[in-house]
Amino acid sequence: YTIIKFTYRGFPSSYLINTEKPPTDDLQVRKALLYAISPELVVKVSFANVPKAAHAPLNSTSLGYDPAIAKMYPLDPEKAKQILDAAGWKPGGDGIRVKDGAPLKLTFIGGTGWEPYAVPVQAQLRQVGIDMEIRILAPAARTEADIKGEHHLAGLGFSNSDPSVLTNIFHSKNIANGFAWSRFRSQELDDLLDKAQGVPDLNQRKQLYGQIQKIIMDNALCVPLVEGASILAYPQTVHDITFDTRGFPYYYDTWMQK
């Protein structure tokens, strides 16, 4: 058998961080999450090291992916602790941090299939003093809950052939009835997203999406986790299997040898 793998283009499986609901309305708490969570550990524990770990708002196969963005938040649990200390979150008797009498407790809301992404992260956050509740809901219920902003962390991945997928996820127009579950409102970001969609020059689009990703990560709007991938195994009598622009199998020219 031949085994082939192609990483999807688009937005990796990630946690969108609610910027309106305390305590993740605090930028320092959001940055601590990024330093505390290891996507590599999620890939190892839950996915047998088959897909790639994600560190940016675009998968590495996407137009506009910027390796410099992926280096912004290296794994550093000690730095996460220092950030939380400075923000006034002090370790409590049970190891969970407390500020003004309230524990540092977050709610993750995801759909069926998000358990493998949530359980390793829950353990990692516990090590820096963050308690994460995992709520797995049916598709309609989880979408409703995330649109309403009931979460601190919401699981989302979005394959797309074009980096304009970031408009679906981060433009403020999509907060009320869409996928903008970080609930971030920025005229600068909205303007850049609008401009990048309408620019025909690829090099200029890459530059714009680099700026967009920088704003997303400067404001810690998401925790990238896993770059999803198509994985196929087929006998050597099958030929010319390819992938479409999103990364899904494309069988139009596929043929089988007798």
Side-chain angles (χ1 to χ4, degrees):
Y1 283 81
T2 298
I3 299 175
I4 56 174
K5 178 176 70 173
F6 188 92
T7 299
Y8 298 137
R9 294 183 173 95
F11 182 68
S13 296
S14 307
Y15 287 168
L16 291 176
I17 309 175
N18 190 340
T19 61
E20 291 186 340
K21 184 174 183 177
T24 51
D25 61 336
D26 184 346
L27 175 59
Q28 299 310 310
V29 172
R30 300 199 301 272
K31 286 186 174 183
L33 294 176
L34 281 155
Y35 284 115
I37 295 172
S38 168
E40 282 79 9
L41 183 64
V42 175
V43 168
K44 177 181 178 181
V45 170
S46 297
F47 301 102
N49 284 325
V50 174
K52 294 180 179 179
H55 293 276
L58 288 174
N59 283 342
S60 56
T61 50
S62 297
L63 175 74
Y65 170 79
D66 185 350
I69 301 294
K71 297 177 182 178
M72 288 180 63
Y73 295 94
L75 178 65
D76 193 339
E78 291 305 314
K79 185 166 185 175
K81 293 177 184 178
Q82 293 169 8
I83 291 172
L84 292 172
D85 284 338
W89 293 97
K90 305 301 182 181
D94 59 354
I96 300 302
R97 293 175 179 271
V98 178
K99 181 178 181 180
D100 299 329
L104 185 47
K105 183 175 182 178
L106 309 180
T107 299
F108 165 76
I109 299 180
T112 303
W114 273 88
E115 296 94 333
Y117 300 89
V119 174
V121 169
Q122 183 185 52
Q124 292 180 77
L125 293 182
R126 183 90 189 185
Q127 293 176 2
V128 300
I130 301 173
D131 184 19
M132 186 180 88
E133 174 195 9
I134 299 173
R135 291 178 58 194
I136 303 297
L137 305 178
R142 72 70 54 97
T143 300
E144 181 180 1
D146 287 332
I147 287 176
K148 288 181 177 178
E150 296 177 6
H151 62 284
H152 294 103
L153 303 169
L156 183 68
F158 209 131
S159 60
N160 196 294
S161 58
D162 193 86
S164 60
V165 67
L166 296 179
T167 299
N168 299 357
I169 303 168
F170 294 105
H171 199 295
S172 63
K173 68 182 180 182
N174 295 316
I175 292 175
N177 191 25
F179 295 103
W181 296 339
S182 62
R183 307 182 70 84
F184 184 66
R185 303 170 195 273
S186 164
Q187 191 62 53
E188 179 189 13
L189 180 57
D190 288 350
D191 289 346
L192 283 170
L193 288 166
D194 291 337
K195 183 177 180 180
Q197 280 191 293
V199 171
D201 182 81
L202 289 182
N203 287 329
Q204 188 176 355
R205 292 194 81 209
K206 289 179 182 179
Q207 293 176 1
L208 288 170
Y209 280 111
Q211 295 176 47
I212 288 165
Q213 292 174 85
K214 183 72 162 50
I215 292 173
I216 290 169
M217 298 308 285
D218 278 343
N219 289 279
L221 305 184
C222 67
V223 182
L225 293 173
V226 179
E227 297 191 359
S230 289
I231 302 169
L232 299 178
Y234 55 90
Q236 295 184 15
T237 53
V238 176
H239 301 272
D240 295 338
I241 292 180
T242 57
F243 296 94
D244 67 16
T245 55
R246 297 168 298 170
F248 293 122
Y250 183 71
Y251 300 110
Y252 186 81
D253 296 316
T254 301
W255 58 280
M256 181 176 290
Q257 183 178 345
K258 293 184 178 179

